[in-house]
Amino acid sequence: MEYREDRTSLLVYLGSLMVEAADQLAQLGGQGRRPELYERFVGWARARGATERVTMFHVNPEPGAQIHHTDPFAVPAGQRSPVRQLRGRLPAPVTLWTAPGPAGLTVSSTLVADGEPGRLLGLIDAESDLWAAVEEAGRFAVAPLRPTHRQLADRFAGLFPSPGGLFALDSWTDTPYGPVPVGGGWAGCRLDDAREYGWSLLVEATIERVELADDGEPLLHHRGRYRELS
């Protein structure tokens, strides 16, 4: 949706993904500049010509429609993991994890366990910059996101360009645990343990500090899309 009126930024972003894919293919011994890479990553979004009506996406005006009639990166329906489909059917709160450095990552698998002390668990990417920062600092912050944070969530998930760095936009409050969005609630956590769990890293932490705020409605993730309670 954010790129709908900004073809230039979209093509720059898709071009960077194409180069990355080509490099990965080359490392695997494949032909890194195969013509189909262009069509897969860039061709579907290019302008159609000066004499044609410029349309970047096929847009369905019906409510709930998707921008493009097909997702060029989607796994075919018959090949999708049943476990992944089950997970997608469980609505999950969207949170932002940050750590000193700073580093950050959008996480939709966060669980809080009440107790003395309170505990927090989450599944994150072991190869992420966030985990490297958390492992070094031994602490991190977790902030629930709101519907107004959709673009922020995409940026920290690596789905949206971040010129100037992930923290260059929006307003932030510095904490000993990591930057958090201004005006929102957050929890400061001390890292206790981490281990491989499925294809992710299960992080266990003790909640040392909680700052509550009138966060309003939460941002949720369900079946690959952001949702709101209303």
Side-chain angles (χ1 to χ4, degrees):
M1 290 291 290
E2 303 296 337
Y3 285 122
R4 192 158 142 189
E5 304 298 334
D6 190 357
R7 179 181 291 101
T8 300
S9 294
L10 173 68
L11 294 176
V12 169
Y13 178 53
L14 293 176
S16 67
L17 294 179
M18 181 180 69
V19 171
E20 182 179 352
D23 290 341
Q24 292 177 1
L25 283 174
Q27 293 173 12
L28 294 173
Q31 298 178 356
R33 303 296 181 207
R34 292 184 299 178
E36 55 265 34
L37 280 182
Y38 178 83
E39 289 302 322
R40 183 173 179 83
F41 283 86
V42 179
W44 62 273
R46 69 186 186 278
R48 296 178 177 173
T51 60
E52 298 182 50
R53 182 176 180 269
V54 178
T55 304
M56 182 164 55
F57 300 107
H58 167 79
V59 180
N60 187 336
E62 295 298 321
Q66 295 183 354
I67 298 172
H68 199 277
H69 66 290
T70 59
D71 179 354
F73 308 106
V75 176
Q79 300 177 21
R80 295 173 187 168
S81 162
V83 173
R84 188 177 181 88
Q85 293 183 63
L86 172 62
R87 189 183 75 167
R89 284 165 168 73
L90 301 177
V94 182
T95 63
L96 177 67
W97 290 31
T98 64
L105 183 68
T106 302
V107 180
S108 59
S109 53
T110 302
L111 180 66
V112 173
D114 196 8
E116 291 294 341
R119 304 292 302 283
L120 182 140
L121 302 93
L123 295 172
I124 67 173
D125 180 2
E127 302 298 325
S128 65
D129 292 339
L130 170 75
W131 170 240
V134 169
E135 193 173 29
E136 180 177 352
R139 60 189 188 276
F140 59 95
V142 175
L145 297 184
R146 303 189 292 270
T148 55
H149 291 137
R150 289 172 182 245
Q151 190 178 113
L152 181 151
D154 275 347
R155 196 166 70 248
F156 279 86
L159 302 176
F160 197 83
S162 52
L166 291 173
F167 295 90
L169 303 177
D170 304 295
S171 298
W172 302 92
T173 298
D174 289 327
T175 80
Y177 301 89
V180 296
V182 168
W186 58 277
C189 304
R190 182 187 73 243
L191 176 65
D192 292 330
D193 193 17
R195 62 183 185 274
E196 290 186 5
Y197 209 77
W199 287 349
S200 301
L201 189 72
L202 175 61
V203 174
E204 301 178 13
T206 296
I207 300 175
E208 295 185 327
R209 178 176 173 182
V210 175
E211 295 289 337
L212 298 177
D214 183 12
D215 290 328
E217 296 291 330
L219 180 62
L220 303 177
H221 196 263
H222 179 246
R223 302 194 71 171
R225 300 178 65 182
Y226 293 128
R227 309 285 185 175
E228 301 177 34
L229 289 180
S230 57

